Amino acid sequence: MKGKFISLEGGEGSGKTTAIHFIQQWLESNNIPYLMTREPGGTPLAEEIRQLVLSERNETVNDVTELLLVFAARAQHLAEKIQPALEEGTWVISDRFLDSTYVYQGKARGGNVEFLDQLADWVVGSNNPDATLLLDVPVELGLERVVQRQHQDRLDKESIEFHQKVREGFLERASADPQRIKIINASLSLDAVKVQIEKQLIALNHAWSGDV
Ligand SMILES: Nc1ncnc2c1ncn2[C@@H]1O[C@H](COP(=O)(O)OP(=O)(O)OP(=O)(O)O)[C@@H](O)[C@H]1O
Ligand SMILES: [Mg+2]
């Protein structure tokens, strides 16, 4: 039986990386083989591309360049890591995936959605996540949570309006595809977030239990 593919989405400081740890605990207590990964990145080459995308530079980064780099990393990640793991029955949990591209490079940067659809079709095809947990938090709260962080990358430093578009973009995608994208209220305490995530995992696992 193929593994399941779950992505974590949300803005800066929404709690994606924290949620990954909750998911890891749940998978371990259910004896489910898993692989944790992230985007952009996930393989040595894709991680190098991540550095190219996120590092500060004295040059304007063209929107199309940014978009193609993200998809280049994703092609490598899918072929070398995600697909082989799923084939052998391992669940794959990714900190960000395709929804982030639609939201950051599409909605927030105003990228051409038709072009994005074509790239998604070409690079991702039918390898979309089986489920996505969207950690939703007001922009100010998310940014407050990461403000202590020493290192801020190129996207962390975008304006509040940019991050607001990111939040709206994720919520729009969730309402367009409620079957796949489950919204987690990430403004609540860590314990309350953990409870919501576990509830979703139990429901998904139950729904998938008939799959072959
Ligand atoms: N529900 C919560 N309540 C309080 N603090 C939280 C909560 N969720 C996460 N945090 C804290 O907020 C900070 C950011 O969380 P985390 O790193 O998980 O976010 P992220 O979505 O991965 O951020 P980034 O987009 O920058 O990778 C961490 O210090 C984490 O401990
Ligand atoms: Mg993170």
Side-chain angles (χ1 to χ4, degrees), residues 135-160:
L135 282 293
D136 180 56
V137 81
V139 169
E140 290 77 8
L141 180 54
L143 294 179
E144 231 168 72
R145 285 179 183 169
V146 291
V147 87
Q148 304 93 328
R149 225 171 254 180
Q150 297 279 317
H151 177 75
Q152 290 223 314
D153 67 38
R154 204 167 53 82
L155 296 186
D156 288 335
K157 289 185 177 164
E158 287 285 352
S159 65
I160 292 280

mmCIF file of all heavy atoms in Angstrom, residues 135-160:
data_model
loop_
_atom_site.group_PDB
_atom_site.id
_atom_site.type_symbol
_atom_site.label_atom_id
_atom_site.label_comp_id
_atom_site.label_asym_id
_atom_site.label_seq_id
_atom_site.Cartn_x
_atom_site.Cartn_y
_atom_site.Cartn_z
ATOM 1 N N LEU A 135 -2.170 25.831 9.029
ATOM 2 C CA LEU A 135 -2.075 26.489 10.327
ATOM 3 C C LEU A 135 -2.423 27.951 10.118
ATOM 4 O O LEU A 135 -1.662 28.691 9.483
ATOM 5 C CB LEU A 135 -0.638 26.381 10.868
ATOM 6 C CG LEU A 135 -0.134 25.086 11.505
ATOM 7 C CD1 LEU A 135 -0.850 24.806 12.790
ATOM 8 C CD2 LEU A 135 -0.216 23.909 10.584
ATOM 9 N N ASP A 136 -3.582 28.351 10.609
ATOM 10 C CA ASP A 136 -4.034 29.725 10.364
ATOM 11 C C ASP A 136 -3.896 30.576 11.616
ATOM 12 O O ASP A 136 -4.365 30.213 12.697
ATOM 13 C CB ASP A 136 -5.498 29.723 9.900
ATOM 14 C CG ASP A 136 -5.985 31.133 9.654
ATOM 15 O OD1 ASP A 136 -5.340 31.839 8.840
ATOM 16 O OD2 ASP A 136 -6.969 31.553 10.292
ATOM 17 N N VAL A 137 -3.254 31.712 11.445
ATOM 18 C CA VAL A 137 -3.003 32.602 12.569
ATOM 19 C C VAL A 137 -3.009 34.049 12.044
ATOM 20 O O VAL A 137 -2.604 34.276 10.896
ATOM 21 C CB VAL A 137 -1.629 32.191 13.187
ATOM 22 C CG1 VAL A 137 -0.456 32.755 12.448
ATOM 23 C CG2 VAL A 137 -1.560 32.478 14.647
ATOM 24 N N PRO A 138 -3.511 35.018 12.829
ATOM 25 C CA PRO A 138 -3.420 36.406 12.359
ATOM 26 C C PRO A 138 -1.950 36.768 12.112
ATOM 27 O O PRO A 138 -1.070 36.323 12.858
ATOM 28 C CB PRO A 138 -3.998 37.221 13.524
ATOM 29 C CG PRO A 138 -4.863 36.259 14.265
ATOM 30 C CD PRO A 138 -4.199 34.925 14.120
ATOM 31 N N VAL A 139 -1.728 37.567 11.060
ATOM 32 C CA VAL A 139 -0.360 37.884 10.638
ATOM 33 C C VAL A 139 0.498 38.425 11.789
ATOM 34 O O VAL A 139 1.634 37.998 11.987
ATOM 35 C CB VAL A 139 -0.423 38.919 9.479
ATOM 36 C CG1 VAL A 139 0.944 39.496 9.171
ATOM 37 C CG2 VAL A 139 -1.011 38.244 8.249
ATOM 38 N N GLU A 140 -0.076 39.357 12.559
ATOM 39 C CA GLU A 140 0.715 39.991 13.626
ATOM 40 C C GLU A 140 1.177 38.963 14.654
ATOM 41 O O GLU A 140 2.306 39.018 15.131
ATOM 42 C CB GLU A 140 -0.093 41.090 14.340
ATOM 43 C CG GLU A 140 -0.345 42.335 13.510
ATOM 44 C CD GLU A 140 -1.457 42.156 12.470
ATOM 45 O OE1 GLU A 140 -2.154 41.103 12.486
ATOM 46 O OE2 GLU A 140 -1.614 43.056 11.622
ATOM 47 N N LEU A 141 0.288 38.023 14.977
ATOM 48 C CA LEU A 141 0.642 37.008 15.978
ATOM 49 C C LEU A 141 1.757 36.103 15.448
ATOM 50 O O LEU A 141 2.722 35.793 16.165
ATOM 51 C CB LEU A 141 -0.599 36.199 16.374
ATOM 52 C CG LEU A 141 -0.401 35.092 17.413
ATOM 53 C CD1 LEU A 141 0.251 35.611 18.690
ATOM 54 C CD2 LEU A 141 -1.746 34.431 17.746
ATOM 55 N N GLY A 142 1.657 35.701 14.210
ATOM 56 C CA GLY A 142 2.696 34.861 13.605
ATOM 57 C C GLY A 142 4.036 35.574 13.597
ATOM 58 O O GLY A 142 5.067 35.014 13.985
ATOM 59 N N LEU A 143 4.024 36.838 13.179
ATOM 60 C CA LEU A 143 5.292 37.585 13.095
ATOM 61 C C LEU A 143 5.872 37.827 14.490
ATOM 62 O O LEU A 143 7.077 37.783 14.680
ATOM 63 C CB LEU A 143 5.096 38.902 12.339
ATOM 64 C CG LEU A 143 4.743 38.743 10.852
ATOM 65 C CD1 LEU A 143 4.530 40.100 10.184
ATOM 66 C CD2 LEU A 143 5.817 37.973 10.083
ATOM 67 N N GLU A 144 4.973 38.049 15.466
ATOM 68 C CA GLU A 144 5.420 38.225 16.857
ATOM 69 C C GLU A 144 6.167 36.975 17.344
ATOM 70 O O GLU A 144 7.159 37.077 18.057
ATOM 71 C CB GLU A 144 4.182 38.385 17.744
ATOM 72 C CG GLU A 144 4.184 39.570 18.673
ATOM 73 C CD GLU A 144 2.767 39.735 19.234
ATOM 74 O OE1 GLU A 144 2.362 38.903 20.069
ATOM 75 O OE2 GLU A 144 2.080 40.686 18.803
ATOM 76 N N ARG A 145 5.643 35.832 16.951
ATOM 77 C CA ARG A 145 6.249 34.573 17.405
ATOM 78 C C ARG A 145 7.651 34.373 16.840
ATOM 79 O O ARG A 145 8.461 33.687 17.458
ATOM 80 C CB ARG A 145 5.388 33.380 16.982
ATOM 81 C CG ARG A 145 4.136 33.220 17.811
ATOM 82 C CD ARG A 145 3.360 32.027 17.299
ATOM 83 N NE ARG A 145 2.100 31.854 17.994
ATOM 84 C CZ ARG A 145 1.145 31.023 17.590
ATOM 85 N NH1 ARG A 145 1.317 30.314 16.498
ATOM 86 N NH2 ARG A 145 0.022 30.915 18.280
ATOM 87 N N VAL A 146 7.917 34.912 15.650
ATOM 88 C CA VAL A 146 9.241 34.672 15.050
ATOM 89 C C VAL A 146 10.176 35.868 15.206
ATOM 90 O O VAL A 146 11.316 35.824 14.760
ATOM 91 C CB VAL A 146 9.155 34.279 13.555
ATOM 92 C CG1 VAL A 146 8.540 32.903 13.400
ATOM 93 C CG2 VAL A 146 8.418 35.296 12.742
ATOM 94 N N VAL A 147 9.697 36.911 15.884
ATOM 95 C CA VAL A 147 10.487 38.146 15.942
ATOM 96 C C VAL A 147 11.812 37.953 16.690
ATOM 97 O O VAL A 147 12.817 38.578 16.345
ATOM 98 C CB VAL A 147 9.641 39.311 16.516
ATOM 99 C CG1 VAL A 147 9.667 39.381 18.014
ATOM 100 C CG2 VAL A 147 10.042 40.613 15.883
ATOM 101 N N GLN A 148 11.794 37.027 17.650
ATOM 102 C CA GLN A 148 13.031 36.788 18.417
ATOM 103 C C GLN A 148 14.080 36.065 17.594
ATOM 104 O O GLN A 148 15.227 35.987 17.968
ATOM 105 C CB GLN A 148 12.772 35.924 19.677
ATOM 106 C CG GLN A 148 11.736 36.453 20.620
ATOM 107 C CD GLN A 148 10.356 35.867 20.302
ATOM 108 O OE1 GLN A 148 10.031 35.572 19.148
ATOM 109 N NE2 GLN A 148 9.526 35.710 21.320
ATOM 110 N N ARG A 149 13.635 35.510 16.466
ATOM 111 C CA ARG A 149 14.555 34.714 15.662
ATOM 112 C C ARG A 149 15.742 35.553 15.186
ATOM 113 O O ARG A 149 15.565 36.653 14.686
ATOM 114 C CB ARG A 149 13.789 34.169 14.449
ATOM 115 C CG ARG A 149 14.087 32.732 14.211
ATOM 116 C CD ARG A 149 13.173 32.186 13.178
ATOM 117 N NE ARG A 149 12.160 31.328 13.761
ATOM 118 C CZ ARG A 149 11.220 30.723 13.049
ATOM 119 N NH1 ARG A 149 11.138 30.936 11.766
ATOM 120 N NH2 ARG A 149 10.357 29.934 13.637
ATOM 121 N N GLN A 150 16.943 34.996 15.342
ATOM 122 C CA GLN A 150 18.174 35.696 14.943
ATOM 123 C C GLN A 150 18.164 35.992 13.445
ATOM 124 O O GLN A 150 18.390 37.104 13.014
ATOM 125 C CB GLN A 150 19.391 34.792 15.225
ATOM 126 C CG GLN A 150 19.585 34.463 16.680
ATOM 127 C CD GLN A 150 20.275 35.588 17.408
ATOM 128 O OE1 GLN A 150 21.228 36.165 16.891
ATOM 129 N NE2 GLN A 150 19.783 35.933 18.578
ATOM 130 N N HIS A 151 17.874 34.924 12.689
ATOM 131 C CA HIS A 151 18.025 35.057 11.252
ATOM 132 C C HIS A 151 16.666 35.234 10.566
ATOM 133 O O HIS A 151 15.781 34.416 10.697
ATOM 134 C CB HIS A 151 18.721 33.813 10.692
ATOM 135 C CG HIS A 151 18.841 33.863 9.203
ATOM 136 N ND1 HIS A 151 19.748 34.662 8.564
ATOM 137 C CD2 HIS A 151 18.116 33.251 8.230
ATOM 138 C CE1 HIS A 151 19.598 34.538 7.254
ATOM 139 N NE2 HIS A 151 18.612 33.681 7.025
ATOM 140 N N GLN A 152 16.534 36.303 9.829
ATOM 141 C CA GLN A 152 15.309 36.512 9.058
ATOM 142 C C GLN A 152 15.667 36.403 7.581
ATOM 143 O O GLN A 152 16.629 37.034 7.126
ATOM 144 C CB GLN A 152 14.768 37.911 9.321
ATOM 145 C CG GLN A 152 14.217 38.059 10.727
ATOM 146 C CD GLN A 152 12.918 38.819 10.705
ATOM 147 O OE1 GLN A 152 12.799 39.833 10.050
ATOM 148 N NE2 GLN A 152 11.926 38.316 11.412
ATOM 149 N N ASP A 153 14.915 35.577 6.832
ATOM 150 C CA ASP A 153 15.255 35.422 5.419
ATOM 151 C C ASP A 153 14.553 36.473 4.560
ATOM 152 O O ASP A 153 13.840 37.341 5.056
ATOM 153 C CB ASP A 153 14.988 33.977 4.955
ATOM 154 C CG ASP A 153 13.510 33.630 4.958
ATOM 155 O OD1 ASP A 153 12.689 34.488 4.597
ATOM 156 O OD2 ASP A 153 13.181 32.475 5.310
ATOM 157 N N ARG A 154 14.764 36.374 3.250
ATOM 158 C CA ARG A 154 14.267 37.384 2.308
ATOM 159 C C ARG A 154 12.743 37.500 2.359
ATOM 160 O O ARG A 154 12.195 38.594 2.258
ATOM 161 C CB ARG A 154 14.734 36.993 0.893
ATOM 162 C CG ARG A 154 14.832 38.121 -0.099
ATOM 163 C CD ARG A 154 15.588 37.697 -1.349
ATOM 164 N NE ARG A 154 15.042 36.491 -1.956
ATOM 165 C CZ ARG A 154 13.997 36.470 -2.766
ATOM 166 N NH1 ARG A 154 13.374 37.583 -3.077
ATOM 167 N NH2 ARG A 154 13.562 35.337 -3.270
ATOM 168 N N LEU A 155 12.053 36.357 2.562
ATOM 169 C CA LEU A 155 10.587 36.415 2.577
ATOM 170 C C LEU A 155 10.038 36.853 3.943
ATOM 171 O O LEU A 155 9.009 37.516 4.019
ATOM 172 C CB LEU A 155 9.986 35.072 2.148
ATOM 173 C CG LEU A 155 10.301 34.651 0.714
ATOM 174 C CD1 LEU A 155 9.537 33.380 0.340
ATOM 175 C CD2 LEU A 155 9.973 35.735 -0.300
ATOM 176 N N ASP A 156 10.765 36.496 5.026
ATOM 177 C CA ASP A 156 10.347 36.956 6.368
ATOM 178 C C ASP A 156 10.267 38.482 6.387
ATOM 179 O O ASP A 156 9.473 39.069 7.113
ATOM 180 C CB ASP A 156 11.383 36.554 7.435
ATOM 181 C CG ASP A 156 11.377 35.065 7.736
ATOM 182 O OD1 ASP A 156 10.344 34.429 7.521
ATOM 183 O OD2 ASP A 156 12.417 34.547 8.184
ATOM 184 N N LYS A 157 11.149 39.121 5.616
ATOM 185 C CA LYS A 157 11.268 40.583 5.694
ATOM 186 C C LYS A 157 10.259 41.326 4.826
ATOM 187 O O LYS A 157 10.316 42.549 4.740
ATOM 188 C CB LYS A 157 12.697 40.995 5.299
ATOM 189 C CG LYS A 157 13.711 40.603 6.368
ATOM 190 C CD LYS A 157 15.073 41.119 6.033
ATOM 191 C CE LYS A 157 16.052 40.791 7.154
ATOM 192 N NZ LYS A 157 17.441 40.951 6.703
ATOM 193 N N GLU A 158 9.373 40.635 4.185
ATOM 194 C CA GLU A 158 8.346 41.294 3.379
ATOM 195 C C GLU A 158 7.395 42.082 4.292
ATOM 196 O O GLU A 158 7.338 41.863 5.494
ATOM 197 C CB GLU A 158 7.556 40.250 2.581
ATOM 198 C CG GLU A 158 8.330 39.645 1.423
ATOM 199 C CD GLU A 158 8.465 40.602 0.230
ATOM 200 O OE1 GLU A 158 7.824 41.668 0.248
ATOM 201 O OE2 GLU A 158 9.226 40.260 -0.695
ATOM 202 N N SER A 159 6.611 42.991 3.670
ATOM 203 C CA SER A 159 5.717 43.869 4.431
ATOM 204 C C SER A 159 4.545 43.095 5.058
ATOM 205 O O SER A 159 4.243 41.969 4.664
ATOM 206 C CB SER A 159 5.137 44.910 3.476
ATOM 207 O OG SER A 159 4.320 44.244 2.518
ATOM 208 N N ILE A 160 3.882 43.777 6.005
ATOM 209 C CA ILE A 160 2.675 43.210 6.626
ATOM 210 C C ILE A 160 1.621 42.911 5.560
ATOM 211 O O ILE A 160 0.947 41.893 5.608
ATOM 212 C CB ILE A 160 2.074 44.212 7.662
ATOM 213 C CG1 ILE A 160 3.007 44.371 8.851
ATOM 214 C CG2 ILE A 160 0.680 43.794 8.108
ATOM 215 C CD1 ILE A 160 2.924 43.273 9.877
#
